Amino acid sequence: MKELICITCPKGCHLKVDEETFAVTGNSCPRGAVYGANELRNPVRVVTSTVVVDGPARRLPVKTDRPIPKSKIFEVMDEIAKVRVKAPVRVGDVLIPNAAGTDGNVVATKSLP
C-alpha cells in the first residue's frame, strides 16, 4: 500500500493506493481516486518557471499548457533555461512547442507590451 496526499483540491485527502490493483481509499471525491491511481501509473505535473526577456533585466512567467510526465521535468527546465524572448509577448503565446518531446508546450502566462 502506497500512501499519498491528494493535490487535486484543497482538502488534501490522505489516500492509500494498492500498488497492484491501483484501488484507492481515503478519497472524499472521485478526483482523488483518479489522482491516486494515476500518480502510481504515470505521475504528471504542470511545470512553471520564468524565461529571460531581452532588454532591461526582467523575466517572463511561463508554464506548460498541460501536465507532463515527472520524469521529463528536468529536460523541460533545461529547454526553458535556454529561451530568450523579445517583447511583445501575449498570454498563451507558445514559446517552446512540444517541450522535451512531451506534447506539452511552454506558454507565456503574462503579456509584455
Side-chain angles (χ1 to χ4, degrees), residues 28-68:
S28 60
C29 71
R31 293 184 300 170
V34 171
Y35 169 79
N38 287 341
E39 188 65 11
L40 291 190
R41 288 185 183 127
N42 181 30
V44 293
R45 298 289 186 274
V46 170
V47 174
T48 61
S49 187
T50 60
V51 297
V52 175
V53 177
D54 283 339
R58 58 186 175 159
R59 299 189 66 88
L60 174 71
V62 298
K63 71 177 189 101
T64 54
D65 62 356
R66 67 192 64 168
I68 62 163

Side-chain angles (χ1 to χ4, degrees), residues 93-105:
D93 282 356
V94 175
L95 305 177
I96 305 172
N98 190 26
T102 62
D103 291 330
N105 303 310

Side-chain angles (χ1 to χ4, degrees), residues 55-105:
R58 58 186 175 159
R59 299 189 66 88
L60 174 71
V62 298
K63 71 177 189 101
T64 54
D65 62 356
R66 67 192 64 168
I68 62 163
K70 276 179 73 174
S71 62
K72 294 282 194 167
I73 289 175
F74 288 107
E75 290 177 52
V76 170
M77 290 301 294
D78 287 342
E79 288 186 18
I80 290 172
K82 297 174 187 172
V83 171
R84 295 183 69 91
V85 297
K86 288 186 178 207
V89 178
R90 296 180 56 132
V91 169
D93 282 356
V94 175
L95 305 177
I96 305 172
N98 190 26
T102 62
D103 291 330
N105 303 310

Side-chain angles (χ1 to χ4, degrees), residues 3-49:
E3 294 184 17
L4 305 169
I5 295 177
C6 184
I7 61 172
T8 58
C9 76
K11 286 184 180 179
C13 295
H14 290 261
L15 308 177
K16 291 186 179 180
V17 184
D18 184 293
E19 296 176 73
E20 293 179 17
T21 65
F22 302 109
V24 179
T25 58
N27 55 301
S28 60
C29 71
R31 293 184 300 170
V34 171
Y35 169 79
N38 287 341
E39 188 65 11
L40 291 190
R41 288 185 183 127
N42 181 30
V44 293
R45 298 289 186 274
V46 170
V47 174
T48 61
S49 187

